[in-house]
Amino acid sequence: MKEDAILVVDDEKGQREILKTILANQGYEVSTSPNGMEALRLFKETPFDVVLTDLKMPGWDGLELLRNILKEKTPVSVVIMTAHGTINSAVEAMKFGAFDYLVKPFEMDELLVVAKKAVEKTHLLKENTFLREQLEERFSIDGIVGKSGMMWEVFKILKKVCATNSTVLIYGESGTGKELIAKAIHYNSPRRDKPFMTINCAAIPETLLESELFGYEKGAFTGANARKIGLFEAAGGGTLFLDEIAELPFALQAKLLRALQEREMRRLGGKDNIKIDVRIIAATNKRLEDEIKKGRFREDLFYRLNVLALKLPALRDRPEDIPLLLDHFIKKHTGTLNKKITGVAKDAMEILLKHNWPGNVRQLESTIERAILLADDGEDIDAKLLPADITRQAFQGSRLDFDIPYGGISFEELEKELIIKAMEKTGFVIAKAAQLLGMSYKTLQYRLNKFSIQKGAGSVAKGLSYTPNKALDTLNEAEKEKI
Ligand SMILES: Nc1ncnc2c1ncn2[C@@H]1O[C@H](COP(=O)(O)OP(=O)(O)OP(=O)(O)O)[C@@H](O)[C@H]1O
Ligand SMILES: [Mg+2]
């Protein structure tokens, strides 16, 4: 449906035609209907921005139509047209959710003003519905994916944190979801209908940071041509998210502390104290305790911010969340990229589970987004769709951490050494060692017997502890040539 579409509902043909001509002349897309039921059918087919309906009509009257249209829960403004004697009903209609009413006979200008306002109102409604849908989808706690014990801990704290007004300090490596969590806290808190404002302390030059936070009065400095409201005021009643708080310059740390302690601030160049009503959420990927030791962060501010601390675990420490996150991101990006992807193939999954994800969830997300982009429609994401650096690292991780000595080694010795290593690594739990080695419990048991491997046996194939360089050092030049 094109924007600015109006449906005119009137039982009088002449009236319908006049309204249609006037409105169409103004560039609206106009449809007409002689009765309420037909109007509702048209509306269900293609929602209109505005429905302009007569009040008195045979069959459904304007009120009945209004009621049915509002049931559709589509953003729309309904305007009721009424004769002079029935204004009371029109007022009644507004109580039921009509946007406005026009008393017949009305001037063309009057009609156009009301139509314009009605269209604008619908645009606003649409925007709000869109925002709300976006928010509900992305920022409810349910939008944060994780089932690992570590994430359950986060959810538990999150639930408590949301209900309070306390300052929260979120700590986590880059890409672990600090901003996502900050938004979740705001949108699940009693402040959800007020603004959520963000400032990245690392991204804004020191000179601007202060005026961004506190605003300024006209003439506070050269170039201050008009009063500017800072974030503390703009986020009034809501939440202010101070991202990368460790990067806040030392001088400003003192100012922030004062504002938080006194719940008051002044605009730059201002004389009046202004009350502050914001909840502060701060985030950092640096350990503030270390920054304090280095003299870069004020200890008193740290304690002000660290009322409730939330530590987000690195992705490498919770690989059990990876399949869930993959699912989530595949759903998210197949939608936006308009592709069907069946899932993640075994080879790719193994690599993704082994990777150490220095960029955490953000890196996982971009890896998957890229793979979806490269994949053919209807295909699985397999290893060849993953970036080379990720594939390489996974294989490096599984490479044997010892070399073959120059004296050579038999496969039997190698096998024995591997089994000993696996048994030692798993504390002599046969089932676990078998899993590591990719052999069955029975096979491993048989081999253990065959090689007489027992707890405390230690490494038997001594040759394996040589490193080639050391071995080379003990050889003379002629011997090296032969190798
Ligand atoms: N648990 C999670 N579930 C779903 N999506 C997540 C999760 N954690 C992070 N993400 C997604 O990963 C991306 C990075 O998250 P976010 O920007 O919140 O991280 P950050 O910690 O603020 O990163 P940086 O330190 O780099 O600013 C976002 O797209 C976010 O939606
Ligand atoms: Mg961030």
Side-chain angles (χ1 to χ4, degrees):
M1 174 108 261
K2 267 197 235 150
E3 282 196 341
D4 302 355
I6 299 182
L7 176 62
V8 174
V9 191
D10 203 312
D11 51 332
E12 279 181 54
K13 187 157 187 272
Q15 185 79 6
R16 283 201 304 271
E17 293 306 327
I18 292 172
L19 291 171
K20 181 174 177 170
T21 312
I22 296 173
L23 292 167
N25 266 340
Q26 295 296 314
Y28 295 114
E29 205 186 289
V30 188
S31 306
T32 59
S33 165
N35 64 62
M37 274 201 203
E38 157 86 355
L40 182 66
R41 194 187 57 75
L42 287 176
F43 187 80
K44 279 185 177 169
E45 241 168 50
T46 44
F48 293 83
D49 297 285
V50 175
V51 176
L52 183 61
T53 178
D54 196 12
L55 182 64
K56 280 207 163 158
M57 294 182 290
W60 282 6
D61 64 5
L63 275 179
E64 187 75 358
L65 175 61
L66 169 72
R67 235 171 26 84
N68 279 287
I69 280 180
L70 294 184
K71 263 199 232 155
E72 292 303 304
K73 303 236 173 287
T74 315
V76 62
S77 306
V78 178
V79 177
I80 306 273
M81 296 179 288
T82 174
H84 193 66
T86 49
I87 292 179
N88 279 346
S89 320
V91 174
E92 201 59 29
M94 291 197 55
K95 279 193 204 150
F96 281 108
F99 169 70
D100 207 344
Y101 64 91
L102 284 164
V103 182
K104 292 198 273 194
F106 43 80
E107 300 287 334
M108 191 168 103
D109 283 346
E110 219 182 325
L111 167 70
L112 294 179
V113 168
V114 171
K116 187 162 177 280
K117 278 201 295 187
V119 164
E120 280 168 2
K121 169 79 180 178
T122 304
H123 287 184
L124 263 178
L125 285 175
K126 279 185 183 163
E127 227 167 78
N128 281 343
T129 317
F130 174 70
L131 278 178
R132 192 152 287 278
E133 275 169 7
Q134 246 199 347
L135 296 182
E136 275 168 7
E137 188 212 331
R138 288 185 51 204
F139 304 135
S140 65
I141 294 191
D142 309 10
I144 305 168
V145 174
K147 61 163 186 171
S148 57
M150 287 173 170
M151 283 309 283
W152 274 112
E153 283 306 310
V154 170
F155 292 146
K156 260 196 335 216
I157 302 174
L158 205 53
K159 264 213 163 126
K160 285 189 200 142
V161 162
C162 285
T164 72
N165 223 352
S166 305
T167 304
V168 184
L169 180 62
I170 305 174
Y171 168 77
E173 285 180 18
S174 143
T176 44
K178 297 185 291 295
E179 187 158 355
L180 184 71
I181 296 278
K183 284 178 179 161
I185 294 174
H186 172 75
Y187 287 105
N188 286 285
S189 79
R191 293 173 172 263
R192 67 174 72 88
D193 293 324
K194 293 285 164 56
F196 174 85
M197 295 282 192
T198 298
I199 185 162
N200 184 331
C201 303
I204 298 176
E206 181 167 353
T207 42
L208 285 181
L209 207 49
E210 184 171 4
S211 62
E212 279 295 312
L213 282 171
F214 301 105
Y216 52 76
E217 294 293 348
K218 183 175 175 178
F221 46 83
T222 19
N225 298 327
R227 167 190 285 173
K228 182 186 148 87
I229 298 293
L231 287 169
F232 267 105
E233 282 181 81
T239 304
L240 177 56
F241 177 47
L242 304 170
D243 204 359
E244 312 235 22
I245 188 79
E247 309 310 320
L248 191 71
F250 210 73
L252 263 179
Q253 291 176 23
K255 262 202 121 169
L256 176 64
L257 177 69
R258 206 171 318 126
L260 297 183
Q261 266 168 352
E262 284 155 28
R263 300 247 134 227
E264 265 182 2
M265 53 143 257
R266 274 185 198 178
R267 300 188 192 116
L268 267 74
K271 294 194 178 54
D272 301 329
N273 285 340
I274 296 165
K275 286 246 173 292
I276 294 174
D277 172 23
V278 285
R279 182 202 207 153
I280 299 288
I281 303 179
T284 175
N285 56 15
K286 289 193 174 151
R287 273 176 47 86
L288 289 183
E289 292 90 332
D290 294 344
E291 298 301 296
I292 293 169
K293 276 192 204 123
K294 288 181 201 152
R296 289 198 206 128
F297 204 83
R298 293 183 65 114
E299 194 169 8
D300 43 10
L301 179 59
F302 170 70
Y303 287 117
R304 265 280 147 190
L305 297 173
N306 197 36
V307 179
L308 286 166
L310 201 57
K311 185 173 182 305
L312 298 184
L315 187 57
R316 80 186 69 85
D317 295 331
R318 48 185 181 104
E320 62 270 46
D321 285 341
I322 289 179
L324 217 65
L325 283 162
L326 289 174
D327 228 42
H328 176 71
F329 292 136
I330 287 174
K331 277 199 197 104
K332 178 171 164 190
H333 293 293
T334 44
T336 40
L337 297 172
N338 201 14
K339 258 205 189 145
K340 281 197 190 67
I341 295 293
T342 37
V344 178
K346 203 161 166 258
D347 61 348
M349 185 62 93
E350 268 171 30
I351 291 167
L352 294 170
L353 287 173
K354 269 188 199 154
H355 192 62
N356 74 351
W357 300 111
N360 292 292
V361 184
R362 172 176 296 117
Q363 192 191 5
L364 179 71
E365 178 168 7
S366 59
T367 303
I368 288 310
E369 194 180 355
R370 175 182 177 276
I372 294 172
L373 202 73
L374 295 176
D376 288 329
D377 213 5
E379 205 188 3
D380 260 358
I381 291 175
D382 60 17
K384 68 177 186 308
L385 292 172
L386 301 176
D389 56 331
I390 287 182
T391 329
R392 204 178 313 125
Q393 197 219 313
F395 286 124
Q396 267 167 2
S398 67
R399 204 179 273 167
L400 297 178
D401 58 355
F402 54 83
D403 287 293
I404 297 170
Y406 279 83
I409 184 170
S410 73
F411 271 108
E412 227 169 50
E413 276 175 313
L414 182 60
E415 191 184 9
K416 188 169 175 182
E417 182 68 10
L418 274 177
I419 291 174
I420 290 171
K421 272 186 180 264
M423 293 302 283
E424 281 171 354
K425 196 166 182 167
T426 57
F428 267 73
V429 179
I430 298 178
K432 278 194 192 160
Q435 213 174 11
L436 268 188
L437 293 163
M439 54 174 73
S440 73
Y441 186 93
K442 272 205 160 148
T443 312
L444 179 56
Q445 215 170 23
Y446 174 78
R447 297 272 201 287
L448 288 171
N449 275 333
K450 181 178 149 197
F451 295 129
S452 313
I453 296 171
Q454 288 158 1
K455 204 166 180 174
S459 180
V460 185
K462 290 278 180 315
L464 288 175
S465 56
Y466 286 124
T467 64
N469 282 345
K470 262 201 190 140
L472 268 181
D473 286 343
T474 61
L475 302 173
N476 62 37
E477 289 307 308
E479 281 170 325
K480 277 184 194 167
E481 281 292 320
K482 277 191 242 154
I483 295 171

